[in-house]
Amino acid sequence: MKRIDIRRLLCAVALMTCAAATPRAAETELAEAYCSKQAWTPTGSESTDGRRYAPDRNVDIIHLTLDVTPDFEQRTISGTTTIRFAPIGKALSELRLDAVDLTVTRIESSEVLLDTEVTANEIILTFASPIAAGREATVTIEHSAEPTEGMYFRTPALGYPAGNEHIFTQGEPFSARHWFPGYDAPNEKFTSQITCRVPEAMVVFANGRKTAEETDPGTGLKVVTWLQDKPHPNYLIALCAGFFESIQGDYNGMPLSFTTPPAHAEWAANSYRGTADMMAFFENEIGVPYPWDQYAQVVVDDFVAGGMENTSLTILTTRTLFPDSIGNVRNSESLVAHELAHQWFGDLVTCKDWSHLWLNESFATYYDWLYHDHAHGANSRRYVMLQRRESILADESDPLPIVWREYDDANERFGYRVYTKGGWVLHMLRTQLGEELFRESIQTYLERNAYGNVVTEDLNSVVEELSGRSFDRFFDQWIYHGKHPELDVRYEWLAAEKLAKISVRQTHETGGDVMLFDFPATVRFFGADVTQDRTLDIREVEEDFFIPLDFKPEIVRFDPDLNLLADISFDIPNAMLHAQLVNERDAIGRVLACRALEDRRDGGSISKLKRALNEDSFYGVRLAAARALRKIGSDAAFEALLESMNQDDERVRRSVAGDVGGFFEPRAREALVNALSGTGADAAGEEAEGNAETNPAVAASLIGALGKYPSDPDLRELLGGYLRSESFRQMLAVAAIGAIRSLDDPAMIDPLSAALRERESEFTTRGFASGLDALAWIARNEDDRDSVRSLIEDYVNDPNTGRQHAALRALGTLRDPKAISVVKAFADRSPSDPAQGEAKAALKKLRDAKSVPVELSDLRGEVTKLENELGDLSERFDELEGKLDSRASGAQGKKRRWFFGLF
């Protein structure tokens, strides 16, 4: 629980009251920033109550042919699109195609056209005579565009290395329409052919298989054609072209490849290496062969997401690449497995509309976890799922269900509910069905719906058919309603009766959005040489279960195998926690024991956590022990961490570094510096030489942790040195930037400015953006901000949109009124300009700073945060009172008692 300093809050409120007479900037700016966002409503059907559904399919799109030529200097695309289609159900008089900001120069059709109209968002074709249902027809459209989304250029003019020029596309959910016209909704599938014309030295990737490659004698351009002869939706149409280097492989004779721009080629093998094993695992686990002709993975600079599962062609971010020196701290396995699993879930079968997006994303998430189990063992998979469960439970205020139609923009659907929460729901389904029946159900679900669209009921119907059980309530409570169970679990040993009493209360609020849950849960009892499991069927608000045992349990575990998505409070005595902490039969139990001991400050608990941190065989336990010691925060806990920094496992070493850095203590800073340099003192306090940290991810964590200590010449020199250092993707320099921002020391303005000026091309877009932000932050209180403002303003017209947007944000952070005119020029642009939103937000900050002193403006934010925290506490207190009252009155149900094996 967060503690609030009431005295600080009262002082802050007093200062705000004194400042009330100071004129404030117009409050309409923020409102304008929202009201002016008039986005084009994507293709779809919307009811009067705001719910979104799949659009009508007036035609069946049979085949799409694209022939395009990118212009890398002008960053434009031109070409022709031919669509072969047939009306469905009735004669067609008018065909509407999604097309945003396309310049159309020619339209032809196999049918006589009465009229054509090109708007900002559509191409409308009216036929002289209606086309009969089922009769095939074609339209050909010649077009060009300078796309702001959907297709992206990476060229030297945008700050990318020469010799690495490339383009890539990203269609999900509705962006393909920005570079070619079509039916841009997921409930229509068709075959496709893409021809791309590029300079001779470039290569081209697209969906399906390459069918032709030749040189056009008239233009000298290479002409490459790819055919996808199996149906797929518009948003999965993909194209990559440019200078690339590839690793070639195969899986059972099917081509595999992993491709990067040349500048990144040396790290490609590390990310590619697990692909064939994943393919074999998924085919065996899913029961359906890989459904496409080949599998290519192409890494591109500054991809707009982590990865995109286009049919047979996954596009990945360069952030997934890693060198050998990074050890086990980071790898590409999860991303590569997730995107590969999509080739079945999302590509072979596709959600009918975005409300059922979990059928794409949750399956990819869960099969990534299953592969993790295959590659690293059940305990490691459970640990990953535990972390994901904690992230789900952290959002206490979200009541929305997984299937949800009341969204304004399809991008709103891409949140944790359709990824990790849905993955957890699939895990619970697998647990209830058993592995074999789950596998049979998924195989049948895919085979029946192959190359088609699905909704949640398609999955439910297969599960019910093969299991003979009703799963209506399962899907109702987990998919169509929101939240998760919140459980208060108690244990009591009744010695005279030799009964274990387990009491379970569902403490969450129920209502229209959230149900009272019905689910099975396992309780495991550990004795000296025996283990017994019992399954509890939980369905009431409050229930008692009495379980006869031949032994008094030494350890009691609720949901021991991590099969339940629930917020579980299970308070047990220290002695039982200490026994759980050393139980070699239960790795996740040891992790949870560490978590529970975070609130125990006694010497015995600290000693046992230190032992776990240094001796436990499972890295997850060691990470949890380090976190627990940091949260305990006592002198003894600090000493335990300090003496545990030398860890062989790099994941644990990095975590311990961060946890040591969590103490505001001079010796912590000294330990961090020593770990970086390899110097320090041994256990006897004598100077000793060690090994300087060579893992860039661990070193970056050490550097970042230094930002919370007082600045002095030594620290400034150290961070300045890292600003000039060379490392993979400049990780150490970027870590130094983060530390400099945290230090908030204006003395670092000059060295940081110099690093940004001199090393601009060496930073990633994200790294450079963090530098502009840090520079603005540490200069915001200076009287003279001209030089910093000038440096930042140099990037407001940068053709690299990442740097441009970062510059606009940084001007807002700098809060120099002299920047208002520059930022306003961007804020006054059309809402279709991506920079406008950034500029409006920055302009709001600048105008606020002009009317309120910077220090007071900072303080206002702190006061607002504190007030919100107080309000949250008050609401939670009221909520708790209400829950207690309702439990006392038995308003939501009667208490149930269950006796196992007694009658």
Side-chain angles (χ1 to χ4, degrees):
M1 184 177 67
K2 294 183 179 178
R3 294 195 175 105
I4 298 178
D5 189 333
I6 298 297
R7 289 176 297 177
R8 184 180 180 193
L9 175 61
L10 292 175
C11 290
V13 170
L15 281 172
M16 290 294 291
T17 302
C18 293
T22 304
R24 299 177 63 192
E27 294 295 336
T28 57
E29 282 296 326
L30 188 58
E32 290 175 2
Y34 286 101
C35 293
S36 62
K37 291 181 179 177
Q38 300 173 353
W40 158 242
T41 302
T43 300
S45 175
E46 182 177 3
S47 67
T48 55
D49 62 358
R51 295 174 181 267
R52 295 194 177 274
Y53 301 92
D56 292 338
R57 293 175 59 240
N58 296 321
V59 299
D60 176 24
I61 306 294
I62 300 167
H63 186 74
L64 172 76
T65 302
L66 296 175
D67 189 330
V68 294
T69 304
D71 186 324
F72 285 85
E73 291 187 3
Q74 300 299 319
R75 297 191 291 279
T76 59
I77 184 84
S78 60
T80 59
T81 296
T82 299
I83 298 174
R84 181 157 50 93
F85 65 94
I88 298 175
K90 60 181 180 180
L92 180 78
S93 298
E94 181 182 84
L95 177 65
R96 290 174 175 260
L97 298 174
D98 300 303
V100 176
D101 294 332
L102 298 187
T103 299
V104 175
T105 53
R106 180 174 59 89
I107 299 177
E108 294 180 353
S109 173
S110 62
E111 308 298 312
V112 177
L113 290 167
L114 177 65
D115 187 34
T116 62
E117 181 181 1
V118 179
T119 73
N121 301 306
E122 286 184 298
I123 298 173
I124 305 168
L125 309 179
T126 304
F127 300 101
S129 298
I131 306 172
R135 176 182 171 184
E136 290 191 10
T138 62
V139 295
T140 298
I141 302 169
E142 188 176 283
H143 52 86
S144 61
E146 187 177 350
T148 57
E149 61 178 281
M151 175 176 283
Y152 302 86
F153 287 80
R154 299 296 181 247
T155 68
L158 299 174
Y160 299 95
N164 289 261
E165 294 90 331
H166 57 277
I167 60 168
F168 63 88
T169 61
Q170 166 60 19
E172 190 179 43
F174 295 116
S175 295
R177 63 185 68 187
H178 290 262
W179 67 282
F180 70 90
Y183 180 95
D184 204 7
N187 66 325
E188 174 64 34
K189 292 191 172 186
F190 45 84
T191 57
S192 65
Q193 177 178 294
I194 299 178
T195 298
C196 185
R197 301 166 186 271
V198 294
E200 186 67 30
M202 290 186 172
V203 294
V204 175
F205 295 88
N207 311 94
R209 67 182 185 275
K210 185 163 62 173
T211 57
E213 181 175 315
E214 58 188 8
T215 300
D216 183 336
T219 63
L221 295 177
K222 179 189 290 184
V223 183
V224 184
T225 298
W226 287 75
L227 173 67
Q228 177 59 279
D229 58 6
K230 299 170 184 176
H232 60 158
N234 204 68
Y235 78 89
L236 293 177
I237 296 287
L239 172 66
C240 293
F243 296 116
F244 290 108
E245 294 183 11
S246 295
I247 296 172
Q248 302 293 336
D250 76 282
Y251 168 71
N252 290 342
M254 183 189 69
L256 301 177
S257 63
F258 194 94
T259 300
T260 67
H264 307 292
E266 65 179 294
W267 306 298
N270 289 338
S271 296
Y272 166 73
R273 62 189 174 205
T275 304
D277 186 59
M278 293 175 193
M279 188 78 75
F281 171 78
F282 287 146
E283 284 199 339
N284 180 68
E285 179 64 31
I286 296 169
V288 176
Y290 176 77
W292 314 104
D293 292 325
Q294 56 97 40
Y295 187 56
Q297 299 173 83
V298 179
V299 174
V300 298
D301 281 314
D302 286 336
F303 187 49
V304 297
M308 183 61 208
E309 65 279 6
N310 312 294
T311 52
S312 76
L313 172 58
T314 286
I315 301 177
L316 300 170
T317 172
T318 50
R319 296 194 303 277
T320 195
L321 301 174
F322 62 97
D324 292 335
S325 61
I326 216 162
N328 63 9
V329 173
R330 197 178 88 199
N331 60 55
S332 301
E333 182 182 285
S334 180
L335 177 62
V336 171
H338 179 100
E339 304 305 338
L340 178 55
H342 265 309
Q343 299 298 316
W344 287 266
F345 305 106
D347 293 9
L348 178 61
V349 296
T350 307
C351 62
K352 180 181 177 182
D353 62 65
W354 302 114
S355 65
H356 292 273
L357 178 61
W358 82 285
L359 296 171
N360 295 11
E361 296 298 346
S362 299
F363 273 92
T365 299
Y366 186 52
Y367 277 81
D368 162 29
W369 296 346
L370 291 180
Y371 178 76
H372 191 92
D373 189 309
H374 162 78
H376 306 288
N379 284 332
S380 189
R381 186 263 303 161
R382 289 186 185 117
Y383 182 67
V384 169
M385 291 187 64
L386 176 64
Q387 292 175 301
R388 302 301 178 265
R389 186 174 76 174
E390 289 175 341
S391 69
I392 296 168
L393 302 181
D395 193 342
E396 299 177 355
S397 61
D398 182 8
L400 297 178
I402 289 177
V403 172
W404 179 55
R405 295 190 180 277
E406 298 175 49
Y407 56 88
D408 294 324
D409 184 330
N411 287 294
E412 296 172 28
R413 300 292 295 124
F414 291 82
Y416 79 91
R417 290 190 301 276
V418 303
Y419 287 86
T420 52
K421 184 177 181 182
W424 254 99
V425 172
L426 290 173
H427 179 64
M428 291 187 291
L429 180 63
R430 186 173 186 254
T431 300
Q432 291 192 27
L433 289 172
E435 292 183 13
E436 290 304 319
L437 186 53
F438 178 82
R439 189 176 292 114
E440 182 184 358
S441 297
I442 299 309
Q443 178 179 349
T444 303
Y445 161 76
L446 288 175
E447 290 174 343
R448 286 187 183 174
N449 299 288
Y451 305 107
N453 290 107
V454 287
V455 295
T456 301
E457 188 53 35
D458 293 314
L459 175 63
N460 187 17
S461 64
V462 169
V463 169
E464 291 192 342
E465 175 189 331
L466 297 182
S467 69
R469 297 158 53 190
S470 172
F471 275 83
D472 287 343
R473 184 180 180 96
F474 178 91
F475 284 95
D476 197 17
Q477 65 187 8
W478 294 112
I479 299 298
Y480 297 113
H481 283 77
K483 296 287 285 184
H484 49 262
E486 295 175 11
L487 304 178
D488 180 21
V489 182
R490 304 292 175 92
Y491 161 76
E492 181 182 357
W493 174 248
L494 305 178
E497 296 87 354
K498 299 191 72 173
L499 292 174
K501 178 185 177 184
I502 301 293
S503 301
V504 181
R505 287 194 302 132
Q506 297 195 48
T507 61
H508 59 275
E509 289 188 358
T510 59
D513 296 322
V514 182
M515 298 176 64
L516 189 69
F517 286 83
D518 183 333
F519 55 90
T522 299
V523 180
R524 181 167 297 160
F525 302 95
F526 289 92
D529 300 308
V530 64
T531 302
Q532 286 193 16
D533 286 1
R534 294 297 174 89
T535 299
L536 314 181
D537 290 318
I538 299 168
R539 60 177 63 98
E540 303 291 347
V541 171
E542 187 171 1
E543 301 174 88
D544 290 336
F545 300 88
F546 296 87
I547 303 167
L549 294 172
D550 295 331
F551 60 94
K552 180 181 179 180
E554 296 177 1
I555 303 170
V556 179
R557 290 270 284 112
F558 187 85
D559 186 33
D561 295 322
L562 215 67
N563 291 328
L564 179 62
L565 176 58
D567 190 351
I568 303 168
S569 172
F570 188 27
D571 191 23
I572 57 177
N574 272 11
M576 192 171 282
L577 276 179
H578 292 167
Q580 184 173 317
L581 184 60
V582 294
N583 183 8
E584 287 297 323
R585 292 173 285 175
D586 185 9
I588 295 302
R590 301 199 303 275
V591 171
L592 293 175
C594 291
R595 302 282 174 84
L597 289 171
E598 290 174 357
D599 298 325
R600 321 285 171 101
R601 297 173 61 87
D602 59 284
S605 294
I606 292 173
S607 174
K608 288 176 171 57
L609 286 169
K610 180 183 178 183
R611 185 179 302 115
L613 172 56
N614 289 282
E615 298 178 8
D616 199 280
S617 59
F618 181 50
Y619 81 96
V621 176
R622 296 162 76 179
L623 291 172
R627 188 181 88 160
L629 290 168
R630 175 179 179 175
K631 286 183 172 289
I632 289 171
S634 66
D635 291 344
F638 174 64
E639 292 294 337
L641 281 170
L642 206 59
E643 294 169 8
S644 305
M645 291 187 69
N646 186 21
Q647 297 282 338
D648 292 334
D649 190 304
E650 292 146 314
R651 295 167 295 188
V652 181
R653 192 161 75 243
R654 182 176 69 160
S655 177
V656 173
D659 290 322
V660 167
F663 288 81
F664 192 73
E665 155 74 50
R667 286 194 302 146
R669 169 179 156 169
E670 181 182 0
L672 297 172
V673 173
N674 290 341
L676 282 167
S677 63
T679 60
D682 60 21
E686 300 294 329
E687 286 294 321
E689 291 293 329
N691 295 320
E693 184 58 65
T694 57
N695 185 307
V698 179
S701 182
L702 292 164
I703 294 166
L706 291 171
K708 60 176 60 68
Y709 300 102
S711 183
D712 60 29
D714 289 342
L715 187 52
R716 289 195 290 268
E717 181 179 358
L718 180 67
L719 294 177
Y722 282 113
L723 281 178
R724 299 185 297 273
S725 68
E726 295 287 342
S727 60
F728 173 69
R729 295 178 67 83
Q730 306 308 334
M731 289 178 65
L732 303 188
V734 172
I737 287 171
I740 287 168
R741 191 187 195 282
S742 297
L743 281 179
D744 201 5
D745 181 0
M748 297 302 297
I749 291 174
D750 287 344
L752 180 53
S753 297
L756 294 174
R757 286 285 195 198
E758 297 165 10
R759 308 192 66 192
E760 173 192 332
S761 62
E762 300 172 32
F763 284 106
T764 64
T765 300
R766 180 174 294 194
F768 190 79
S770 72
L772 291 180
D773 171 71
L775 180 62
W777 180 257
I778 65 177
R780 73 195 185 286
N781 295 323
E782 296 298 285
D783 292 332
D784 182 0
R785 286 165 274 179
D786 289 351
S787 63
V788 171
R789 188 187 72 257
S790 177
L791 187 155
I792 297 171
E793 286 178 349
D794 284 348
Y795 295 95
V796 297
N797 288 309
D798 198 297
N800 182 311
T801 56
R803 287 201 297 259
Q804 179 195 40
H805 294 179
L808 291 168
R809 289 193 299 270
L811 288 175
T813 300
L814 185 63
R815 303 188 217 182
D816 185 348
K818 295 179 181 178
I820 288 178
S821 60
V822 172
V823 175
K824 189 175 184 304
F826 289 89
D828 290 341
R829 290 185 175 183
S830 164
S832 63
D833 188 329
Q836 192 223 35
E838 300 285 0
K840 278 187 169 285
L843 189 61
K844 176 71 166 59
K845 290 183 178 180
L846 288 168
R847 287 179 169 167
D848 276 354
K850 188 176 181 181
S851 59
V852 180
V854 171
E855 296 83 356
L856 192 55
S857 181
D858 285 341
L859 190 56
R860 175 193 289 163
E862 293 186 20
V863 170
T864 300
K865 181 180 178 182
L866 292 171
E867 287 174 334
N868 289 338
E869 288 176 341
L870 281 174
D872 290 343
L873 286 173
S874 177
E875 289 177 6
R876 291 171 66 183
F877 181 77
D878 292 341
E879 178 183 340
L880 182 58
E881 280 191 321
K883 286 182 180 179
L884 292 174
D885 289 343
S886 65
R887 302 299 182 261
S889 64
Q892 298 189 56
K894 296 180 179 179
K895 185 172 183 177
R896 208 167 51 129
R897 290 171 176 258
W898 291 90
F899 294 83
F900 284 71
L902 297 183
F903 301 100

